[in-house]
Amino acid sequence: VIRPALAFALLLLAAVPAAAQDLLLTNARLVDPHTRTVRTGALLLRGDTIAAVLDAPPVGYDGEVLDAGGRWVLPGLLDLHVHSYGNLSPWGVESLGTEAAARRMLYAGVTGFLDLFADEEVIFALRDRQRTGGLLAADVHAAGPLLTAPGGYGTQMGLPTRTVATPDEARRVVADLARRHPDVVKFAYLPSEPGVVSMDRTTMEALVRATDSLGLRTVAHVASWEGVRDVARAGVTALTHLPLTPLPADVAALLRAHGTAVIPALAGEFGRTDLATPPWRDAPLLAAVASPAVLAAYAAPDTSPDTLGTAPGGALQVRRAHRAAVLAAVRTLHEAGVPILAGTDAGVMGTIQGFSLHHELALLVEAGLSPWDALAAATTGAGAFLGERVGLRPGDRASLLVLDASPVDSIRHTQAVAFVVYRGRVVDRARLLGDGAADAGLPLGQALVDSFASDSLRSALGTTWRVYRDEAVGGASTADVRVSGGTLHVEAAIRPGPGGFGFVELALPLDAAEAPRDVSAFDGVRVRLRVLRGSLALKLRTAEVTNHDHPAVLVGPSDAVQELTLPFAAFGPLWSPPVPWTGRRVLGIALSVGGAAAEEVAYEIEELAFYRDEAP
Ligand SMILES: [Zn+2]
């Protein structure tokens, strides 16, 4: 039986032979979050859009056909809160780069994401490259930098922010940023956090008005109910995170009245414990997208302060109270008609790029949303937020997730990925899990890594030094990092958390997109430096090492600046068996200090370069 609405599409098909790029997906159970129905039918995909939704294959169609075998077909999932640099595990930072992270997301059925804070030079370039067709990975949408107060939240993370202190400055910064076409403008507003510097309310309101007047959406990072009320009244498009205390009686109606959407990011808030616990710990999709070192880190006994305190009134009990409060708030907001959107905060402790969206959906259902509501939060709702056509209607984008089991029966079934369709084509998922070997093989055309000539953390390679600290693993180490007079000065106070390691690490990617680079044409690293106090590990981060134990050389104190010529053979692991050095998959250079004890470390570097032995 052909429904009247479909007759026109069918007639067209009968009259016009299949176009070269057509794909007909037949025998599918179509899971449509718009109509909240599941019905058996077929989808005709033409280019990157859905051309027709059919009850049965059209007569006379002679293009490519894919039998879905009665599987469940839904729009590809969207994650609206991502930091796509990689993963943070209890053992440290796994820097994948946005491109590899986006491939892992696509493998997991997350066909698009919104990065909410990254190095703007890197993320906008990658996004624009993808939009011109150069990247098989989840669609990249990006905020670029975080807007925050000078010295405020986010300025400590080793990523370039844009700071605003006054309403005038907010207008100027927004106008300047708008030239790069951010998909949203993200800012931090933390007016009542003890010890945290925040922009004031007037500045925040000017920022939102300026963004709004340019037709751009805003996402506010908040942490208190006062912050939630202020940003809603100011007219933000969405806020992300929810305070960890019970929802005050007035807030649901206030958000509803202002049309404010909420991206609660539950996976980032509660993933640390869940990833270490069945059923999440044992999920096959987790094992597929997370690297062995990251899995091992979560499987190791949890010594974080959050879970050590098992006494009544201890940290664990407080954590459970937070979880109950936040899930109850999500439910109340949803029932009041506040749009709840799916985002994970992927990149923070407790998240895995690609996997955590499935965790988020389950947490939304745990909070009290129906599976349909949760699916809408990651598909049609998220698409509406981004201004994208997401759904199973003609004209919607042809990025689809095909499942072996019904996500309406159990939201956990979103993990049962049979295959993924991206922009109208079935994706070779196995290839996506490779680490981007296709991008390597580019010889590094330049021996000089950095001579700190620019008086900034921008290197001679055009990439930027990032400062990583141990905050996320319970440490309180601090660092003063300056570049002046052609020298990088670092003074670090290492303060490990209970039972953990303290560290301060400066890491420089060799490639702006953080792809591995081939440095096998060189013979080693030459460095002019002086360690004043403690010991410095100079590391070569390679994609061939997956346990964070990258080849390193330890340098101790000296009375004067020394020039060290370090052949690659001098670099070795600090605690694990050596991995053979090829030099073909090098991600970057890192300067790492720290350990299990509190200490003060200081060092200065004047120049870092790869070198080649002269021919004899
Ligand atoms: Zn975040």
Side-chain angles (χ1 to χ4, degrees), residues 44 94 192 201 206 213 222 262 321 362 367 401 438 485-486 539 549 552 580 594 607:
L44 179 72
E94 180 192 47
S192 40
R201 188 162 56 82
S213 71
V222 291
V262 173
L401 175 56
K539 295 184 182 180
D549 192 11
E607 189 170 299

Side-chain angles (χ1 to χ4, degrees), residues 360-542:
E360 185 75 19
L361 294 179
L363 287 165
L364 290 173
V365 169
E366 187 182 330
L369 274 68
S370 71
W372 277 121
D373 294 328
L375 291 173
T379 57
T380 47
F385 174 81
L386 289 172
E388 294 266 303
R389 295 272 324 237
V390 175
L392 293 184
R393 301 160 306 181
D396 289 342
R397 61 182 192 149
S399 292
L400 306 166
L401 175 56
V402 183
L403 301 174
D404 283 322
S406 167
V408 182
D409 290 350
S410 166
I411 198 67
R412 298 242 170 101
H413 291 165
T414 59
Q415 295 167 70
V417 181
F419 55 93
V420 174
V421 176
Y422 177 69
R423 299 189 185 186
R425 309 310 297 167
V426 176
V427 167
D428 178 356
R429 291 173 70 224
R431 254 193 65 201
L432 292 173
L433 286 188
D435 35 25
D439 302 320
L442 298 170
L444 194 72
Q446 186 186 6
L448 179 65
V449 174
D450 207 355
S451 56
F452 306 98
S454 70
D455 275 11
S456 78
L457 289 176
R458 187 75 62 189
S459 74
L461 298 173
T463 56
T464 301
W465 289 94
R466 311 260 172 80
V467 185
Y468 296 105
R469 295 187 296 109
D470 48 22
E471 195 173 35
V473 291
S477 300
T478 56
D480 178 28
V481 177
R482 288 176 296 122
V483 179
S484 66
T487 303
L488 168 73
H489 304 265
V490 178
E491 284 184 51
I494 302 300
R495 299 290 180 268
F501 282 88
F503 63 85
V504 170
E505 182 166 293
L506 272 69
L508 180 76
L510 296 186
D511 179 271
E514 308 206 31
R517 302 296 295 263
D518 187 340
V519 299
S520 61
F522 298 104
D523 293 299
V525 175
R526 191 165 285 147
V527 55
R528 230 171 34 242
L529 85 172
R530 181 182 171 201
V531 177
L532 294 96
R533 283 188 296 284
S535 150
L536 166 70
L538 176 65
K539 295 184 182 180
L540 292 165
R541 291 175 42 245
T542 101

Side-chain angles (χ1 to χ4, degrees), residues 112-193:
F113 67 92
L114 175 62
D115 188 294
L116 283 181
F117 179 19
D119 184 334
E120 63 182 276
E121 301 294 338
V122 174
I123 196 90
F124 288 137
L126 184 72
R127 177 198 66 176
D128 296 347
R129 177 151 71 87
Q130 183 180 48
R131 286 185 185 168
T132 54
L135 186 63
L136 178 65
D139 288 332
V140 180
H141 306 268
L146 176 73
L147 275 54
T148 188
Y153 176 83
T155 55
Q156 85 285 16
M157 291 175 183
L159 282 172
T161 54
R162 292 203 188 206
T163 57
V164 295
T166 64
D168 268 349
E169 209 169 18
R171 286 185 279 269
R172 272 200 308 275
V173 166
V174 166
D176 188 58
L177 179 60
R179 291 206 290 265
R180 312 196 92 156
H181 307 289
D183 296 288
V184 302
V185 171
K186 166 94 179 287
F187 65 92
Y189 180 67
L190 303 159
S192 40
E193 296 306 291

Side-chain angles (χ1 to χ4, degrees), residues 213-241:
S213 71
L214 293 166
L216 293 167
R217 302 168 184 84
T218 39
V219 177
H221 170 112
V222 291
S224 69
W225 294 114
E226 182 195 346
V228 167
R229 291 186 186 97
D230 285 352
V231 299
R233 289 195 187 106
V236 289
T237 324
L239 58 89
T240 188
H241 304 296

Side-chain angles (χ1 to χ4, degrees), residues 13-296:
L13 288 173
V16 181
Q21 286 296 299
D22 280 3
L23 175 66
L24 185 68
L25 195 60
T26 63
N27 193 17
R29 287 193 172 94
L30 303 172
V31 180
D32 184 346
H34 272 296
T35 58
R36 308 211 161 188
T37 56
V38 181
R39 68 184 180 96
T40 299
L43 289 180
L44 179 72
L45 314 181
R46 176 163 294 164
D48 57 10
T49 55
I50 295 173
V53 185
L54 309 159
D55 281 349
V59 181
Y61 173 82
D62 61 355
E64 193 179 338
V65 176
L66 179 65
D67 187 336
R71 290 185 179 86
W72 286 261
V73 175
L74 58 152
L77 305 173
L78 295 164
D79 187 337
L80 292 183
H81 189 154
V82 169
H83 305 284
S84 56
Y85 72 89
N87 294 311
L88 178 66
S89 82
W91 287 356
V93 174
E94 180 192 47
S95 182
L96 297 170
T98 294
E99 200 172 329
R103 282 197 295 268
R104 292 190 192 193
M105 284 193 238
L106 187 56
Y107 177 94
V110 179
T111 55
F113 67 92
L114 175 62
D115 188 294
L116 283 181
F117 179 19
D119 184 334
E120 63 182 276
E121 301 294 338
V122 174
I123 196 90
F124 288 137
L126 184 72
R127 177 198 66 176
D128 296 347
R129 177 151 71 87
Q130 183 180 48
R131 286 185 185 168
T132 54
L135 186 63
L136 178 65
D139 288 332
V140 180
H141 306 268
L146 176 73
L147 275 54
T148 188
Y153 176 83
T155 55
Q156 85 285 16
M157 291 175 183
L159 282 172
T161 54
R162 292 203 188 206
T163 57
V164 295
T166 64
D168 268 349
E169 209 169 18
R171 286 185 279 269
R172 272 200 308 275
V173 166
V174 166
D176 188 58
L177 179 60
R179 291 206 290 265
R180 312 196 92 156
H181 307 289
D183 296 288
V184 302
V185 171
K186 166 94 179 287
F187 65 92
Y189 180 67
L190 303 159
S192 40
E193 296 306 291
V196 176
V197 183
S198 172
M199 65 180 81
D200 60 25
R201 188 162 56 82
T202 319
T203 302
M204 181 273 291
E205 287 166 351
L207 188 160
V208 174
R209 265 198 306 276
T211 309
D212 206 44
S213 71
L214 293 166
L216 293 167
R217 302 168 184 84
T218 39
V219 177
H221 170 112
V222 291
S224 69
W225 294 114
E226 182 195 346
V228 167
R229 291 186 186 97
D230 285 352
V231 299
R233 289 195 187 106
V236 289
T237 324
L239 58 89
T240 188
H241 304 296
L242 284 169
L244 300 173
T245 51
L247 180 75
D250 61 308
V251 169
L254 180 75
L255 297 189
R256 163 84 203 204
H258 286 88
T260 317
V262 173
I263 306 168
L266 304 170
E269 198 65 62
F270 306 116
R272 173 69 183 92
T273 319
D274 284 5
L275 287 184
T277 320
W280 298 105
R281 188 190 64 189
D282 307 321
L285 188 63
L286 174 66
V289 295
S291 61
V294 169
L295 288 174

Side-chain angles (χ1 to χ4, degrees), residues 338-353:
V338 175
I340 302 293
L341 301 176
T344 59
D345 213 358
V348 304
M349 179 69 75
T351 60
I352 301 290
Q353 303 286 341

